């Protein structure tokens, strides 16, 4: 069955919509109702720029079932210019080259399939930066 | 209805005439609107965007034609060389390269499909157009590899591009010409005044059966076009379509690989339709082959478009810019639209451009457009087709290719 959470997360996953705290300016991705830095509750919607820098990374050799055919693949924590950090796959390159400091563009990709006949789940992944 | 004679094939039944009793009063509100080089009389009222009154337009009124306000393309980064495929099946690589003029082709990753290619191309088109995505009132995606059999690609694409929800969306299918079909209808929606902007996309992750000639060409990629009336990058001058029932290539529901009708694919299908459509648009527009700076014909392989172009009097120089097939393969619905994007990437103001698509089954759409003064400053706002063809990429072995194209049977 399509997961309600996937549907709810479409603005964040498809359009990189995030929340910016009106009080302290902290950007949360996905958007939160309460700012983790100052507990402010006034949030403004912002869109993340589709590029970022790898903060830390690892290579997955023993993946969950949905990703069996993709191993080995790189997972990275990426930070965008707005200061938002999130975990994402980095693809279209040798996974061993995905290291802290690497610039990545965020491209819209298929993340996983819900089994053989379920829905297709999309989102963003990192690819080596073009600039 | 339509008293619109001459060179337009689109939009013939879009607007019915108002009842006679209403015409007089509406005409009092008339203001001058223009619809370009339309020959013929348009003695019926039409609705103008942003205007609630009806106006009459007639053929001598000066008006701006709709055209392209933004375009973008995307080509996946994996490649496989023709010689690698030839080696797998015991064929002679030199014969393939000489016969089909194919060097290598793009291969989608496991996480790439018509939807992701459409989003990437669409983002490029929005960047070049510089418009508010909310103003795009229609989105059409042409492909023969929509990821879902039931559920449109367009719904995912519109969310990712930030379009809608006030938008008309449909997926189109017509073998390799679904892309120009989507473009035709998007253009017509703008031309009719129903929407301010409309996006038409052609994208595919084509499949060719293993050890079939198609396997050397079937590739992945696509291009997106936004149509509008103002700040055009290319003005549309003429459109023409030519279609007949020809069984050259098909895939039945539930089958994984398409089949083709051997010798049906050349003369009676590709050459007949491409040349009839191209000749048709030349006759109706009064243009001659030498009037065009650039020409792109659908590229099922390297040889067909060059041969068809030559027979009609086009030169290699006119065709080489849009001839991207030797490096990217045939991305089906994305083929001629991507070739057109490669042309727009380098065209100069005033250049006349001709594109003819081809879709098996079979039919062709032809468009004639003219690059505007605005084009050069927008070319650099998104990745160019050549930069994607030349970018760092991975060359696959046949085994890796078979895995990515899911040609290997796995356990659940
Ligand atoms: Zn805060």
């Amino acid at each position: 069955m399509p997961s309600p959470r996937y549907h709810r997360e479409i603005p964040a996953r498809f359009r990189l919509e995030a929340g910016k705290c009106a009080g302290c300016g902290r950007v949360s991705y996905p958007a939160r109702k309460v700012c983790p830095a100052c507990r402010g509750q006034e949030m403004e919607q912002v869109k993340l720029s589709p590029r970022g820098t790898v903060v830390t990374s690892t290579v997955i050799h023993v993946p969950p079932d949905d990703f069996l055919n993709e191993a080995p693949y790189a997972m990275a924590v990426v930070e965008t210019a707005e200061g938002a950090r999130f975990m994402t796959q980095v693809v279209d390159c040798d996974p061993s080259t995905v290291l802290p400091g690497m610039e990545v563009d965020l491209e819209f990709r298929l993340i996983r399939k819900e089994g053989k006949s379920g829905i297709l789940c999309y989102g963003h992944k990192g690819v080596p930066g073009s600039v | 209805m339509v008293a619109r004679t001459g060179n337009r094939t689109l939009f013939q039944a879009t607007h019915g005439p108002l009842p006679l009793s209403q015409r007089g009063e509406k005409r009092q509100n008339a203001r001058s609107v223009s619809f370009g080089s339309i020959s013929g009389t348009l003695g019926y009222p039409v609705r103008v965007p942003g205007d609630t009154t009806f106006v009459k337009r007639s053929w001598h009124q000066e008006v701006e034609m709709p055209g392209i306000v933004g375009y973008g393309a995307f080509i996946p980064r994996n490649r496989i060389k023709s010689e690698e495929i030839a080696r797998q099946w015991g064929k002679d690589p030199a014969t393939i390269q000489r016969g089909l003029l194919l060097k290598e082709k793009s291969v989608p990753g496991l996480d790439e499909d018509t939807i992701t290619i459409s989003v990437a191309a669409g983002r490029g088109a929005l960047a070049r157009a510089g418009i508010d995505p909310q103003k795009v009132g229609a989105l059409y995606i042409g492909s023969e590899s929509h990821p879902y059999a039931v559920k449109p690609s367009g719904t995912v694409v519109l969310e990712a591009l930030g379009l809608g929800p006030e938008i008309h969306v449909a997926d189109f299918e017509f073998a390799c010409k679904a892309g120009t079909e989507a473009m035709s209808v998007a253009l017509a929606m703008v031309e009719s005044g129903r929407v301010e902007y409309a996006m038409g996309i052609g994208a595919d992750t084509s499949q060719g059966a293993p050890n079939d000639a198609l396997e050397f060409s079937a590739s992945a990629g696509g291009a997106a076009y936004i149509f509008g009336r103002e700040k055009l990058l290319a003005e549309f001058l003429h459109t023409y379509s030519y279609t007949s029932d020809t069984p050259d290539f098909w895939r039945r529901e539930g089958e994984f690989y398409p089949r083709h009708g051997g010798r049906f694919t050349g003369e009676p299908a590709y050459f007949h339709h491409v040349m009839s459509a191209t000749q048709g648009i030349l006759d109706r527009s009064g243009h001659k082959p030498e009037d065009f700076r650039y020409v792109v014909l659908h590229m099922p392989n390297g040889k067909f478009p060059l041969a068809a172009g030559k027979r009609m009097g086009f030169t290699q120089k006119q065709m080489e810019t849009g001839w991207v097939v030797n490096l990217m393969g045939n991305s089906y619905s994305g083929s001629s639209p991507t070739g057109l994007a490669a042309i727009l990437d380098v065209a100069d103001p005033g250049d006349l451009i001709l594109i003819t698509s081809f879709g098996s089954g079979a039919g062709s759409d032809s468009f004639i457009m003219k690059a505007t003064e605005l084009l050069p400053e927008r070319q650099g706002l998104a990745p160019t087709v050549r930069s994607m063809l030349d970018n760092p990429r991975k060359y696959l072995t046949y085994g890796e290719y078979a895995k990515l194209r899911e040609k290997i049977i796995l356990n659940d």
Side-chain angles (χ1 to χ4, degrees):
Chain A
M1 283 297 288
S3 111
R5 194 182 85 171
Y6 172 73
H7 186 255
R8 203 164 54 233
E9 288 174 350
I10 280 178
R13 289 183 179 275
F14 284 24
R15 295 191 291 275
L16 300 171
E17 285 180 10
K20 185 175 181 180
C21 174
C24 73
R26 161 99 173 235
V27 173
S28 306
Y29 177 82
R32 292 173 181 241
K33 289 211 159 38
V34 178
C35 173
C38 76
R39 301 197 183 179
Q41 291 186 32
E42 208 183 315
M43 302 294 257
E44 163 200 358
Q45 191 196 90
V46 292
K47 218 175 136 184
L48 303 182
S49 50
R51 57 194 60 85
T53 309
V54 171
V55 177
T56 184
S57 63
T58 187
V59 177
I60 307 290
H61 292 274
V62 185
D65 284 357
D66 282 353
F67 298 86
L68 273 182
N69 298 333
E70 293 182 44
Y73 59 87
M75 291 298 297
V77 172
V78 168
E79 183 173 313
T80 70
E82 296 79 11
R85 286 187 176 193
F86 54 91
M87 176 101 83
T88 183
Q89 259 177 281
V90 177
V91 296
D92 286 9
C93 60
D94 177 347
S96 68
T97 63
V98 179
L99 296 167
M102 177 186 186
E103 301 290 330
V104 295
D105 289 339
L106 298 171
E107 278 189 1
F108 193 75
R109 296 295 176 98
L110 179 65
I111 305 293
R112 55 184 278 271
K113 300 174 178 176
E114 288 194 341
K116 202 166 177 291
S117 58
I119 64 160
L120 306 170
C121 301
Y122 294 87
H124 282 80
K125 292 183 183 178
V127 300
S130 56
V131 277
Chain B
M1 50 165 287
V2 163
R4 196 171 185 185
T5 59
N7 40 32
R8 308 290 305 182
T9 54
L10 281 178
F11 157 64
Q12 302 228 327
T14 320
H15 298 284
L18 278 183
L20 278 174
S21 60
Q22 289 179 31
R23 287 190 183 179
E25 63 184 74
K26 296 297 179 189
R27 278 180 191 176
Q28 286 166 11
N29 297 327
R31 62 181 170 83
S32 171
V33 221
S34 72
F35 275 78
S37 58
I38 296 164
S39 56
T41 305
L42 295 160
Y44 58 97
V46 295
R47 201 171 186 130
V48 171
D51 190 345
T52 52
T53 59
F54 282 87
V55 294
K56 175 178 177 284
R57 51 176 210 232
S58 66
W59 74 298
H60 48 76
Q61 282 174 320
E62 273 306 308
V63 212
E64 207 156 293
M65 265 297 269
I68 295 168
V69 299
Y71 72 95
F74 184 78
I75 303 165
R77 297 180 183 87
N78 297 316
R79 298 285 184 277
I80 187 166
K81 288 181 183 289
S82 300
E83 59 192 69
E84 175 69 9
I85 300 173
R87 189 168 21 244
Q88 172 68 24
W89 300 111
K91 288 175 177 157
D92 174 27
T95 312
I96 298 294
Q97 288 212 11
R98 210 172 39 239
L100 300 172
L101 302 178
L102 297 172
K103 205 170 153 219
E104 58 197 53
K105 68 169 189 173
S106 62
V107 182
L110 286 168
D111 58 358
E112 291 178 299
D113 58 24
T114 289
I115 288 176
T116 66
I117 291 168
S118 297
V119 170
R123 283 178 175 168
L126 284 168
R128 285 195 175 102
I131 59 166
D132 174 3
Q134 286 291 309
K135 290 186 176 172
V136 178
L139 170 66
Y140 304 115
I141 301 177
S143 180
E144 64 162 60
S145 50
H146 291 293
Y148 288 99
V150 178
K151 186 186 185 317
S153 300
T155 54
V156 181
V157 173
L158 76 89
E159 289 280 1
L161 294 179
L163 316 181
E166 290 185 320
I167 186 168
H168 185 247
V169 172
D171 283 4
F172 288 168
E173 183 266 327
F174 192 146
C176 294
K177 96 165 178 78
T180 55
E181 211 171 58
M183 292 167 70
S184 284
V185 179
L187 173 76
M189 285 293 274
V190 171
E191 193 175 44
S192 72
R194 283 186 180 222
V195 299
E196 188 171 356
Y197 297 105
M199 188 184 283
I201 300 177
D204 254 311
T205 53
S206 335
Q207 283 281 16
N211 198 16
D212 184 293
L214 287 177
E215 197 180 20
F216 291 100
S217 58
S219 74
Y225 291 86
I226 303 174
F227 296 90
R229 288 181 176 283
E230 286 173 357
K231 301 204 168 138
L232 303 183
L233 311 189
E235 181 190 2
F236 260 59
L237 303 178
H238 304 280
T239 72
Y240 180 78
S241 295
Y242 188 94
T243 313
S244 77
D245 189 14
T246 308
D248 59 321
F249 173 94
W250 63 91
R251 178 169 65 83
R252 292 260 300 271
E253 184 68 44
E255 294 294 311
F256 192 62
Y257 297 118
R259 297 187 54 180
H260 50 95
R263 293 191 179 271
F264 258 115
T265 56
E267 286 303 328
Y270 180 85
F271 287 95
H272 177 69
H273 291 83
V274 165
M275 293 173 66
S276 298
T278 307
Q279 199 55 54
I281 204 168
L282 289 178
D283 291 347
R284 283 167 188 244
S285 67
H287 281 297
K288 292 183 287 301
E290 57 269 31
D291 295 346
F292 298 90
R293 173 106 185 257
Y294 299 106
V295 176
V296 58
L297 308 177
H298 173 59
M299 297 163 271
N301 53 51
K303 207 169 188 175
F304 276 21
L306 296 181
K310 196 174 170 190
R311 281 202 223 168
M312 291 184 290
F314 294 105
T315 64
Q316 180 102 5
K317 195 166 165 35
Q318 287 168 300
M319 290 190 284
E320 65 193 7
T321 306
W323 189 74
V324 293
V325 61
N326 64 324
L327 295 178
M328 79 172 280
N330 173 13
S331 57
Y332 287 32
S333 303
S335 172
S336 50
T338 308
L340 174 61
I343 288 169
L344 293 174
D345 283 342
V346 298
D348 293 317
D351 285 347
L352 217 49
I353 302 163
L354 170 69
I355 170 177
T356 300
S357 64
F358 171 73
S360 291
S364 285
D365 297 322
S366 282
F367 307 144
I368 291 176
M369 66 197 80
K370 191 161 124 186
T372 69
E373 296 289 334
L374 192 57
L375 178 62
E377 67 186 68
R378 301 292 178 89
Q379 284 163 337
L381 298 181
T384 63
V385 171
R386 287 289 157 190
S387 76
M388 286 182 274
L389 289 174
D390 297 341
N391 243 3
R393 51 199 135 146
K394 184 179 180 187
Y395 285 99
L396 304 170
T397 63
Y398 191 87
E400 291 169 319
Y401 164 75
K403 174 179 148 184
L404 293 185
R405 294 313 286 130
E406 298 178 312
K407 290 170 191 275
I408 300 174
I409 297 168
L410 302 164
N411 270 338
D412 280 348

